[in-house]
Amino acid sequence: MDTEVRRYLDDLVAVARTVLGENLIGAYAAGSVGLDAYQPGRSDIDVALLCADPLPEAAK
C-alpha cells in the first residue's frame, strides 16, 4: 500500500477512535484502495467506519 495512503488511514482511524471511542468497531477501505488499484492523484480514498450504536445527531 502507498505510504501516504497508509499514513492517511492510520490518522483517520486514530481521529475516529478519539471521536467515537468504543462505539467504533470497524474501519474498512473500499473502492480502489480495497481492490489494490489506487492511483495517486486520480483515485479517491473511500473508507467506511462502523459503529456499534447509531450516532446521536450532535456526534454526526
Side-chain angles (χ1 to χ4, degrees):
M1 178 182 296
D2 184 270
T3 304
E4 289 184 33
V5 173
R6 169 66 71 182
R7 187 176 318 121
Y8 171 78
L9 293 173
D10 288 344
D11 290 348
L12 179 87
V13 170
V15 171
R17 281 187 181 132
T18 299
V19 172
L20 300 171
E22 291 185 16
N23 198 25
L24 177 67
I25 59 172
Y28 303 93
S32 60
V33 173
L35 296 171
D36 198 27
Y38 177 77
Q39 296 178 13
R42 272 188 77 91
S43 299
D44 292 347
I45 299 176
D46 302 310
V47 178
L49 300 176
L50 181 64
C51 294
D53 299 306
L55 293 177
E57 288 299 317
K60 292 179 186 179

